[in-house]
Amino acid sequence: MSSTNNNIVALNPEHHRNIRIKSELIEQHGSQLHLVPAVLSEFIKLAVHYPIVITKNSQTGQFMCSAMLGLSQGENLFWQADKWNAVYVPLQVRRQPFFVGQEKEEGADQARFVLCIDENSPAISQTEGQALFDDAGEETEFFKNSRSIISEILQGEPLTRDFLTHLERLDLIEAISLDITLANQQQMKINGLYTISQDKLADLDAEQLKQLQTKGYLGPAYCLAHSVAQIYALIDRKNQQLT
């Protein structure tokens, strides 16, 4: 979700005290994304609108979960008339223009997380929008909410990786290939997506189901598996654009 035009720096309460965030432009960051990383805590909300799919990092081979917003690169079918056309917007979009970096001080064993901001974000202004700090230098409710989104992502990422590791151990992940004929007769073939095999999920024995249930992964597994049906809704959105 980054761009070569980003200028990501550590957030400094003094240096950034007077900047404001035009909240109506935050969602614009996702206007040209067809896949957005997702964490377990938002699966239920995502599944109302989006297919939740598993993708594989081409460099590391590591699986990750994503909300699918479009059928091709750079296409967000939920971005219509310069606004997001869905009740729920993914966390990775709503956390903009904030990022998390890591900083390791000399002599320290581990790096620490540092909240950063993209100074080139179109949502940043010196005169309009939501302030980050009040006149007393305290964080505003808007900024606290942004921090809570970042916190949910940070807590959710390792949990989601562990969830996927369990799915792999149980051999539940299977590739899906989409052959789509659009309303204008255009043919589309989409590869590189994975989901949970509903047949294999149904065949798990009591002990395996208990393992998933104990970890809190059984609900998200069913949610992910069933959300793939939302691909039909995506195709319908695409067809509506073509007519």
Side-chain angles (χ1 to χ4, degrees):
M1 293 194 50
S2 62
S3 162
T4 54
N5 294 322
N6 287 353
N7 181 27
I8 300 172
V9 300
L11 186 71
N12 183 304
E14 283 299 318
H15 178 67
H16 297 110
R17 180 167 180 171
N18 296 320
I19 69 167
R20 293 176 174 270
I21 307 296
K22 292 184 282 188
S23 55
E24 70 275 10
L25 295 185
I26 289 175
E27 295 170 2
Q28 184 179 322
H29 287 274
S31 62
Q32 296 181 339
L33 297 175
H34 78 297
L35 290 171
V36 175
V39 294
L40 290 189
S41 62
E42 59 178 338
F43 273 20
I44 292 177
K45 296 173 184 176
L46 287 170
V48 173
H49 300 292
Y50 318 100
I52 304 169
V53 295
I54 300 170
T55 56
K56 184 180 287 188
N57 186 302
S58 59
Q59 296 180 327
T60 66
Q62 187 177 51
F63 284 118
M64 62 184 292
C65 293
S66 298
M68 187 175 177
L69 313 179
L71 301 176
S72 56
Q73 190 81 27
E75 175 184 70
N76 181 349
L77 294 169
F78 295 88
W79 185 255
Q80 300 174 353
D82 292 329
K83 63 180 181 180
W84 204 285
N85 183 239
V87 174
Y88 181 77
V89 178
L91 289 172
Q92 283 284 3
V93 174
R94 289 192 286 127
R95 57 94 173 160
Q96 293 281 352
F98 300 102
F99 293 78
V100 174
Q102 289 190 321
E103 183 178 78
K104 189 173 182 180
E105 296 180 356
E106 186 176 350
D109 294 331
Q110 293 183 329
R112 65 185 182 90
F113 290 118
V114 178
L115 185 63
C116 301
I117 190 166
D118 176 14
E119 291 187 332
N120 288 352
S121 167
I124 288 182
S125 171
Q126 296 294 328
T127 57
E128 303 174 62
Q130 303 280 347
L132 301 185
F133 303 96
D134 61 22
D135 293 339
E138 300 295 323
E139 294 182 359
T140 62
E141 287 303 312
F142 171 82
F143 190 27
K144 289 177 182 178
N145 182 61
S146 297
R147 276 189 178 277
S148 71
I149 292 172
I150 290 286
S151 178
E152 186 173 350
I153 293 171
L154 279 177
Q155 292 175 23
E157 286 177 338
L159 195 65
T160 306
R161 287 194 296 269
D162 188 61
F163 167 71
L164 288 166
T165 297
H166 275 71
L167 297 185
E168 284 189 87
R169 287 174 184 166
L170 294 171
D171 193 30
L172 292 176
I173 298 177
E174 67 176 11
I176 52 177
S177 180
L178 301 175
D179 290 291
I180 302 168
T181 301
L182 297 173
N184 64 354
Q185 300 307 304
Q186 177 188 349
Q187 303 286 322
M188 295 189 70
K189 188 175 182 66
I190 303 175
N191 295 309
L193 303 179
Y194 301 80
T195 188
I196 292 175
S197 169
Q198 295 197 38
D199 291 339
K200 290 182 178 180
L201 186 58
D203 286 341
L204 293 181
D205 61 34
E207 182 57 34
Q208 291 169 325
L209 286 170
K210 183 179 179 182
Q211 289 175 15
L212 287 175
Q213 182 67 48
T214 301
K215 296 284 289 186
Y217 295 159
L218 191 56
Y222 280 112
C223 187
L224 190 155
H226 293 157
S227 76
V228 175
Q230 292 287 13
I231 288 174
Y232 295 107
L234 271 188
I235 296 171
D236 184 57
R237 281 178 176 264
K238 180 70 172 179
N239 283 330
Q240 287 178 29
Q241 287 189 356
L242 297 173
T243 56

